[in-house]
Amino acid sequence: MPSATLLEPTQARAGDAVPLISVEDLRVEFATGRGVVKAVDGVSWSVRPGETMALVGESGCGKSVSALAVMRLLAKPAGRVAGGRIMFDGRDLLTLQESEMRELRGRDISMIFQEPMTSLNPILTIGLQIMEPLKIHLGMSDEQATARAVELLGLVGIPDAARRLGQFPHQFSGGMRQRVMIAIGLACNPKLIIADEPTTALDVTIQAQILELMKDLSRRLGITLVIITHNLGIVARYADRVAVMYAGRVVEEGPADRVFGAPRHPYTIGLMRSVPRLDRPRDYKLATIEGLPPNLLSPPSGCRFAARCPFRIEKCAIDPPYHDAGDGQRSACHRAEELAQGLAEATVAPLAEPLGRADTGPLLEVRGLTKHFEVRGRGLLGAKGLVRAVENVSFSIERGRTLGLVGESGCGKTTIGRTILRLEDATGGEVRFDGEDLVGASRSRMKELRTKIQVIFQDPYSSLNPRMSIGDIIAEPLVFRRSVPRRQAREQVAELLVQVGLYADMAERFPHQLSGGQRQRVGIARALAMDPSFIVCDEPVSALDVSIQGQIINLLDELQERLGLTYLFIAHDLAVVRHISHRIVVMYLGRVMEMADRDELYAAPLHPYTQALLDAAPVPDPVAERARQPRALTGELPSPLAPPSGCVFHTRCPLATAECRQAVPEVREVRPGHFAACIKI
């Protein structure tokens, strides 16, 4: 069967009035041992041909469940559609036979999942996985399917496509695997692609490449996109329309410009204010959404956001109808018109707060730090290799200040943190804490010093013992490291829980009984139990929702102001790093590219890599995004097993010359306090 060309649009453009897909009063339930969870309760949204719709909201709001319902992929028998319609191209998907739905899946509707490694079969080649839907849905021969697979890999930007068809998923990087998933999604020229958090696991530069690719293909091929995400910057840059979901319902929907420019629901306003922004100074506190979403086992009557809403009134006890604001914008709030007229600006307290001043002098000094890992190749006789994870890195952190460490995955950020903590032994260089050498310290001395040096890990669930109560987790270091009597330890645990914004009686709970944000607060309380002066924060908010993320960032700020703590803050989110840090180090492939005070670095970056990182990071403002002219960074991060000669960034640098391929640039002071490693500066 001959294939349709990929360069011909498969449908009409986004101006068409009739939606390609329309979700109407959708209700999805899950039967559990504790009762029925109403995961999606009366959700409606629609997308026109060629349009990009974004579904946003906190974890558990029903975004992914509604997408799975569209695909008819709900886990059975627990999950079921309890009501509503899903109209796609004039047909109700919920009334189709399973055989009919299988024909639509992969051909007319495709889905790109969050984690490509779990979506790709590890024992099948990439070529076989791309060719499978082509043979099933389009009846292609092996030759035709192979030719189309090569064409698809080229379309999504994978070089040497013919050779790479024979490779396996583990031989591709994270960004390349996600491109393969997009190629599979595009294989049969679908009318609709649903992308569920398609870039969450990717670095900001690869994220920009993937999303630009998807948006470009959507325009060229007339494909309708539904993107599920919690990143408001992505929504502002790529979405035409946005639906904001909360507790199983859509609380606001409309054109992205309208929703961002004049939000008419308190939850939408709260989400936007809880997100740090690259285009704003750091001298303000994030306006967070306090509390937690309701339990969908027994959702409250009336407005489901009322318990967390600063604008609630008695009328909120009644379910709010949708308020039509015109131009396709609607919101489910009794006070939508008042919000549009400035109610939020009039009643929210000022965000600005003065920052505390740090003591003079560095608490931590890192000089020429180097860390290499020896790895062995495949098989018993495999050749050894050397991973140069950290190469000649130097910086210092003043007392009571925060140093932000940013860069793509594999750049050595976490290795530096682990080496400072002496969880890894340095290959070379020195680390001095309060004047004392950590690299050469004995094990017994390090045991003493670790009471002053603590860590907050990325995943709060895996860093807490699931068999211990919260009280025992926090009390353990007090009892066994500081010899505090158990009764006194219990009193200190209660004080620590209150200090991090939790209730004292939560000491009786176990980790699985807390939310992600609460578990991260427990991790912070455990770190504070040792009365430290320095804390390594290793991606402490990357696994959290934006509203909870804002709470943790504010908490870390408050603790620093009150206790004089010093932080090494490791993250890949440039907006978060800008908000919490005083000075920033940018790393690439184990080396420092640039180092400067926060405002100086963001206002006038010198290194091409820093400029590319800042360009790739979107801001949650569609108007500002249209005014930007980002310089896209192409290519993949090289392997640290075989780093490029000369400047390690030259393979992706738009300014690279022959000299860059030979000379390793030194980190030098270009401006007072502003360092960069580039021979072009």
Side-chain angles (χ1 to χ4, degrees):
M1 181 178 180
S3 63
T5 174
L6 282 171
L7 301 180
E8 294 178 357
T10 57
Q11 63 222 38
R13 295 181 177 178
D16 290 7
V18 179
L20 174 70
I21 182 167
S22 180
V23 174
E24 303 170 7
D25 194 29
L26 180 66
R27 285 173 284 126
V28 179
E29 297 177 348
F30 288 90
T32 71
R34 296 184 178 182
V36 176
V37 175
K38 297 180 179 179
V40 174
D41 194 6
V43 163
S44 298
W45 49 264
S46 61
V47 195
R48 292 176 294 181
E51 196 172 48
T52 298
M53 160 75 87
L55 298 179
V56 302
E58 293 173 282
S59 297
C61 70
K63 307 185 300 293
S64 295
V65 171
S66 58
L68 291 173
V70 170
M71 296 293 292
R72 294 266 300 270
L73 291 174
L74 293 171
K76 295 179 180 179
R80 72 182 188 91
V81 175
R85 296 198 307 169
I86 302 174
M87 301 301 297
F88 174 74
D89 212 12
R91 306 168 72 185
D92 185 356
L93 298 182
L94 299 179
T95 64
L96 299 182
Q97 298 293 324
E98 183 57 34
S99 58
E100 295 176 295
M101 193 64 206
R102 274 199 302 269
E103 290 181 10
L104 283 178
R105 261 192 238 115
R107 187 189 67 192
D108 293 337
I109 309 174
S110 62
M111 190 165 183
I112 301 169
F113 294 95
Q114 178 174 351
E115 179 46 66
M117 197 58 183
T118 59
S119 303
L120 295 171
N121 192 324
I123 63 172
L124 295 180
T125 65
I126 293 298
L128 287 176
Q129 296 185 65
I130 298 175
M131 292 159 61
E132 182 180 34
L134 296 171
K135 293 179 179 180
I136 292 173
H137 293 295
L138 301 182
M140 288 187 179
S141 65
D142 288 343
E143 292 76 15
Q144 289 174 321
T146 300
R148 173 61 67 85
V150 171
E151 181 184 7
L152 285 163
L153 287 184
L155 189 70
V156 298
I158 295 181
D160 197 11
R163 180 181 65 84
R164 304 209 74 167
L165 286 181
Q167 294 183 333
F168 293 85
H170 71 272
Q171 296 174 286
F172 285 64
S173 68
M176 287 291 188
R177 285 195 291 265
Q178 195 62 285
R179 290 169 188 264
V180 170
M181 289 298 300
I182 294 174
I184 294 172
L186 289 170
C188 299
N189 283 356
K191 297 177 180 179
L192 170 68
I193 293 179
I194 300 173
D196 188 0
E197 298 278 10
T199 59
T200 297
L202 304 179
D203 288 307
V204 63
T205 53
I206 306 301
Q207 169 184 282
Q209 291 178 26
I210 295 295
L211 290 169
E212 287 291 347
L213 169 66
M214 292 178 65
K215 188 67 175 179
D216 178 62
L217 293 173
S218 172
R219 294 191 192 103
R220 289 167 53 196
L221 308 180
I223 295 171
T224 302
L225 283 177
V226 175
I227 299 177
I228 298 169
T229 183
H230 66 272
N231 188 322
L232 296 181
I234 288 175
V235 177
R237 179 176 286 186
Y238 299 105
D240 301 310
R241 294 179 58 79
V242 56
V244 182
M245 293 188 65
Y246 182 79
R249 292 180 174 175
V250 172
V251 295
E252 186 162 8
E253 181 189 6
D257 285 12
R258 295 267 300 178
V259 172
F260 278 87
R264 281 172 158 78
H265 195 281
Y267 180 61
T268 309
I269 294 170
L271 277 183
M272 292 180 182
R273 289 185 171 179
S274 63
V275 178
R277 292 181 55 155
L278 280 173
D279 56 344
R280 290 183 181 175
R282 181 248 190 262
D283 57 349
Y284 66 94
K285 280 205 157 192
L286 297 174
T288 59
I289 304 173
E290 298 303 322
L292 296 171
N295 186 347
L296 296 183
L297 276 169
S298 55
S301 58
C303 176
R304 295 187 175 183
F305 186 62
R308 305 172 71 189
C309 182
F311 312 117
R312 63 180 176 272
I313 54 178
E314 289 185 12
K315 194 176 181 181
C316 296
I318 304 170
D319 234 353
Y322 282 106
H323 171 82
D324 189 352
D327 292 334
Q329 185 180 10
R330 63 184 184 127
S331 66
C333 181
H334 292 295
R335 308 189 74 181
E337 200 57 46
E338 295 174 80
L339 289 170
Q341 294 172 5
L343 172 68
E345 287 73 16
T347 57
V348 173
L351 301 178
E353 278 198 3
L355 298 176
R357 296 188 61 82
D359 295 332
T360 57
L363 176 66
L364 184 82
E365 296 177 275
V366 175
R367 294 287 175 263
L369 184 64
T370 298
K371 176 60 183 175
H372 297 165
F373 293 95
E374 193 175 83
V375 295
R376 185 179 292 277
R378 294 181 183 179
L380 293 175
L381 302 177
K384 291 182 178 180
L386 194 66
V387 175
R388 302 177 184 274
V390 178
E391 197 73 44
N392 195 28
V393 169
S394 300
F395 58 81
S396 62
I397 312 177
E398 291 186 356
R399 298 172 190 273
R401 294 285 175 171
T402 300
L403 179 81
L405 203 54
V406 300
E408 292 172 284
S409 298
C411 72
K413 306 186 300 295
T414 296
T415 301
I416 287 177
R418 290 178 61 83
T419 306
I420 290 172
L421 293 164
R422 278 287 297 274
L423 300 176
E424 302 285 354
D425 290 327
T427 304
E430 62 177 318
V431 178
R432 304 195 73 84
F433 172 73
D434 205 10
E436 187 163 353
D437 180 24
L438 297 185
V439 172
S442 64
R443 292 184 64 182
S444 59
R445 182 55 184 154
M446 276 306 303
K447 189 175 180 180
E448 296 172 9
L449 288 172
R450 282 200 179 104
T451 61
K452 294 297 181 183
I453 305 173
Q454 290 292 300
V455 60
I456 302 169
F457 294 101
Q458 176 176 355
D459 185 350
Y461 192 73
S462 63
S463 61
L464 301 177
N465 190 327
R467 295 181 176 87
M468 293 174 66
S469 69
I470 298 304
D472 289 340
I473 288 171
I474 301 173
E476 185 179 36
L478 291 170
V479 173
F480 294 101
R481 294 298 304 277
R482 297 179 62 184
S483 301
V484 175
R486 288 191 177 274
R487 182 167 182 171
Q488 185 181 341
R490 285 196 294 270
E491 294 172 358
Q492 290 188 26
V493 166
E495 293 173 4
L496 286 165
L497 287 172
V498 172
Q499 193 172 42
V500 298
L502 297 175
Y503 296 112
D505 60 10
M506 287 185 173
E508 305 302 320
R509 300 187 191 180
F510 287 82
H512 72 274
Q513 295 174 302
L514 303 183
S515 69
Q518 289 172 331
R519 286 194 289 263
Q520 194 62 288
R521 289 173 186 264
V522 170
I524 295 172
R526 183 177 59 182
L528 294 177
M530 290 288 93
D531 191 23
S533 53
F534 175 67
I535 298 178
V536 176
C537 305
D538 189 4
E539 298 274 12
V541 297
S542 63
L544 305 176
D545 284 313
V546 289
S547 58
I548 307 301
Q549 181 185 89
Q551 294 176 18
I552 299 300
I553 291 171
N554 281 349
L555 173 62
L556 291 171
D557 265 343
E558 292 164 6
L559 291 171
Q560 185 172 62
E561 292 290 327
R562 190 164 67 245
L563 305 176
L565 296 171
T566 304
Y567 298 138
L568 173 64
F569 194 90
I570 299 168
H572 67 272
D573 189 319
L574 297 170
V576 169
V577 171
R578 172 170 192 170
H579 187 87
I580 201 169
S581 303
H582 299 93
R583 192 164 174 79
I584 295 171
V585 173
V586 180
M587 291 189 63
Y588 182 82
L589 210 65
R591 292 182 177 271
V592 172
M593 297 290 104
E594 190 164 0
M595 178 168 55
D597 288 342
R598 172 196 62 239
D599 294 335
E600 169 78 10
L601 185 101
Y602 281 80
L606 296 174
H607 199 282
Y609 179 59
T610 308
Q611 294 168 3
L613 282 180
L614 293 174
D615 281 344
V619 297
D621 184 341
V623 176
E625 275 299 320
R626 283 196 293 271
R628 298 175 74 191
Q629 295 181 335
R631 292 157 285 192
L633 184 62
T634 59
E636 297 278 320
L637 192 73
S639 169
L641 271 169
S645 60
C647 174
V648 290
F649 183 60
H650 83 260
T651 58
R652 302 169 75 190
C653 181
L655 306 178
T657 63
E659 186 181 1
C660 299
R661 300 183 184 94
Q662 300 172 359
V664 178
E666 293 184 1
V667 179
R668 57 190 178 88
E669 191 170 17
V670 182
R671 299 172 185 159
H674 194 152
F675 297 79
C678 179
I679 61 177
K680 293 296 181 181
I681 299 172

